Amino acid sequence: MFPDFQVIGMNLYSICMALGLTFALLFVDRVGVKRGFSLALQRGLLVAVVAAMGCGLFFATLFQAFYNWLETGVFVWQGMTFYGGFVGGAAVFLLLWFFVLGRFCKDKKEPIKQFPVIADAAAVAVPMAHGFGRLGCLFAGCCHGRIADVWYALPMRIDGEWVKAVPVQLFEAIFLFALGAALWVLLVKIPQGKRFPLLPVYAVVYGVWRFCIEYARADERGETVVAFLTPSQLTAVVLVAAGAVYFIIWYLRKRRTIMGRTEAVQAFEQGFGAKPTHLFSAAGRINVIGEHVDYCGGQVFPAALNLRCNIYAKKTEGNTVRILLKGIEGIIELDVNRLNDYRDLKYGNYQAGVAYHLQKEGTPIVGCDLYYDCTVPFGSGLSSSAAIEVATAVAFCELAGVAYDKVHLAVISQRAENEYAGVNCGIMDQFASAMGKKDHAVLLNCSTLAYEYVPLELGEYCLVVANCNKPHNLVESKYNVRRQEVETALREIRKVKEVDCLAALSVEEFNELKYLLSGVVEKRAEHVVYECDRVKKAVVALRAGDIEELGRLLNESHYSLRDLYEVTGKELDTLSELARREWACLGSRMIGAGFGGCTISIVKKSAVDGFIKRVGDAYYTTIGYRASFYQTSIEDGITVETLV
Ligand code: GLA
């Protein structure tokens, strides 16, 4: 007369386990983090989801008891033991996770604070909680003397006979702990951004495992797996399917980058009526340390980024270079015989400057169509201009079919910026843009252009690049003033000592000579000499894997740029100070010319999301507008691809 509540309950359990678990976490991850759910709410949801794993069965058995009571008049709640144990075990785990485990972590933070993206935290927490739940079942069953119910065995076929050989609860618990631990290792080792989503890994691996167990059981009971899906088999199938759906969504999002390329090709075709034949690109850059020393002959330590200037290009007949810029209306045309005439262009003057200086050196500039898709944010201090110049230089040389030396292209690009665009910059940006190497920083001596690659290996840490988004104004004129000040310092020092450049002075030599200087000139020179010293120390620290020391040097560099060189400003100071206050951050400083633009911070890989959220929110509260954080990686400087 009544439906079989036990079966309904088992299915409810399946749905709670699989759909409830995976999609609730997916929801919290996508919507919760975007909307800035508090940590407490995230914790609450995690508890709710883990509890849901046990609740389906808990209520199903309660219904069953109620139903039996209606029929027989006797109330016996059998499932209570089993599933009560399960929920109890999971609860014990959560208490451990939230309040105890952190005490044993190196940085004394509860594990979830280290992985503030709930789906990542859950990828570890859920299998662990599940494992504890299994132990809870075992324990509760033993206490009630119902060992047979909980200690029922996983059958194995031995000598053609089915033998109940393995205690299934214990076996499951061990498997789940191992899975949780393996996911934890992946979570800590692979940085956010490079990581594939871990929660579906749990769903798929556990689903497959569950299915195998259920298959073995069904086989033992003489059931055909396909003909009759037991609730547990259903759980397994739904888990695998949910994990697969998650992976597909993730993959489709990733593919958008590839789509970006298709869009650029279409824009080229629309603008110029033909397909591009080449894709040339040069990188934006960060500078690990060594700021405002390149034009003083010092050593700098930049690295090329995945944020780049991409040029889709095609050689044409004639003498016109046609340029289209993504997001800007209209084609800019340059006549290759009048390249000196474009200095005042709002857009296209960098391209004209590079063409002009290449031509002056004897490189033929051929007619061509160029479509620019620059992903280095403009005015960010990540050197969009150098990326544009270097990529343009590569495009012109490649299309003209002339051999080129990358260092030379960097020098030509710098010349274009100095003499054509009128910005008196040093060589660092163009050099990094042309010569950067994947996963390495370039230790460059700006007096001799001798360079060396040093692996940028930060162990458990990574670099986070943040833009303070201060509106830019007068940066170039202030930059040029700093150059004049250090030139004054050098002139004064040369009155008593023969030196090639300020960077050639050791800290000791400078301290003996600084009586010759005063006021801002003394402060500027002091920054240069000490910053050069810090570069050497930083390289030693990095090579020795001493990331804490590297972080300390970054902080010192920032303080010196703030107090002695005076190129920071409230926004950069706030952004780097907020970063420094974070437990996961070893050091933070402004990079580039300053007065606006970006900071870099050394942050624990596993804590990057929380770092970004907290620093971002606090910055907004203090400054009134938002900072931007970029997902960066260290890449090669120049790349050349043929598209047909
Ligand atoms: C700008 C310049 C570089 C360098 C930095 C400061 O990025 O283009 O040459 O001087 O500022 O280190």
Side-chain angles (χ1 to χ4, degrees), residues 318-375:
N319 292 328
T320 310
V321 174
R322 295 195 296 174
I323 297 170
L324 258 178
L325 308 174
K326 184 177 177 182
I328 306 286
E329 280 289 310
I331 294 182
I332 303 154
E333 298 201 351
L334 308 176
D335 181 339
V336 300
N337 298 316
R338 291 176 39 227
L339 288 172
N340 200 10
D341 297 353
Y342 303 107
R343 291 170 192 265
D344 298 327
L345 281 186
K346 187 170 176 208
Y347 300 111
N349 61 335
Y350 284 125
Q351 289 85 343
V354 170
Y356 172 78
H357 280 282
L358 278 173
Q359 199 182 50
K360 216 170 149 193
E361 284 235 325
T363 304
I365 301 297
V366 297
C368 56
D369 291 339
L370 308 173
Y371 174 81
Y372 283 74
D373 178 3
C374 187
T375 58

Side-chain angles (χ1 to χ4, degrees), residues 125-423:
V126 171
M128 293 291 194
H130 202 159
F132 267 84
R134 293 283 171 199
L135 290 186
C137 291
L138 196 60
F139 178 73
C142 293
C143 290
H144 286 251
R146 297 189 49 205
I147 297 180
D149 280 356
V150 291
W151 196 266
Y152 63 85
L154 181 70
M156 287 173 72
R157 201 188 276 276
I158 300 175
D159 292 338
E161 287 290 308
W162 281 107
V163 181
K164 293 192 173 185
V166 186
V168 84
Q169 299 293 350
L170 190 61
F171 198 37
E172 280 251 333
I174 291 170
F175 176 79
L176 285 160
F177 290 147
L179 181 58
L183 291 172
W184 187 309
V185 171
L186 291 179
L187 194 56
V188 173
K189 292 278 174 221
I190 313 176
Q192 176 82 31
K194 290 196 176 152
R195 197 158 63 214
F196 43 88
L198 296 177
L199 189 60
V201 174
Y202 158 70
V204 172
V205 173
Y206 183 69
V208 170
W209 153 269
R210 186 84 240 147
F211 196 87
C212 293
I213 289 191
E214 292 308 317
Y215 186 89
R217 282 198 191 149
D219 197 0
E220 179 208 27
R221 289 193 293 256
E223 293 160 354
T224 320
V225 181
V226 187
F228 178 66
L229 269 184
T230 66
S232 287
Q233 286 162 6
L234 187 64
T235 308
V237 171
V238 175
L239 267 177
V240 174
V245 167
Y246 195 133
F247 266 125
I248 291 167
I249 294 173
W250 172 77
Y251 176 74
L252 289 179
R253 281 166 172 259
K254 247 185 106 83
R255 254 189 40 156
R256 268 197 222 145
T257 334
I258 304 165
M259 303 280 281
R261 183 177 281 200
T262 322
E263 268 170 35
V265 171
Q266 280 170 359
F268 187 102
E269 277 188 271
Q270 254 174 26
F272 301 123
K275 274 194 187 301
T277 54
H278 290 85
L279 170 55
F280 306 112
S281 107
R285 60 101 192 89
I286 50 161
N287 182 22
V288 179
I289 198 160
E291 216 61 83
H292 282 284
V293 298
D294 60 345
Y295 50 81
C296 302
Q299 282 186 305
V300 291
F301 201 30
L305 291 177
N306 55 335
L307 301 171
R308 328 180 54 87
C309 172
N310 300 306
I311 307 178
Y312 294 79
K314 184 179 189 313
K315 188 175 165 182
T316 54
E317 298 304 318
N319 292 328
T320 310
V321 174
R322 295 195 296 174
I323 297 170
L324 258 178
L325 308 174
K326 184 177 177 182
I328 306 286
E329 280 289 310
I331 294 182
I332 303 154
E333 298 201 351
L334 308 176
D335 181 339
V336 300
N337 298 316
R338 291 176 39 227
L339 288 172
N340 200 10
D341 297 353
Y342 303 107
R343 291 170 192 265
D344 298 327
L345 281 186
K346 187 170 176 208
Y347 300 111
N349 61 335
Y350 284 125
Q351 289 85 343
V354 170
Y356 172 78
H357 280 282
L358 278 173
Q359 199 182 50
K360 216 170 149 193
E361 284 235 325
T363 304
I365 301 297
V366 297
C368 56
D369 291 339
L370 308 173
Y371 174 81
Y372 283 74
D373 178 3
C374 187
T375 58
V376 191
F378 296 112
S380 62
L382 298 175
S383 267
S384 51
S385 56
I388 292 172
E389 288 152 2
V390 173
T392 304
V394 175
F396 284 139
C397 291
E398 289 273 350
L399 294 174
V402 293
Y404 55 91
D405 166 50
K406 289 183 189 172
V407 173
H408 187 61
L409 288 194
V411 173
I412 293 277
S413 300
Q414 183 204 12
R415 199 174 297 156
E417 178 134 1
N418 289 168
E419 293 173 20
Y420 205 95
V423 183

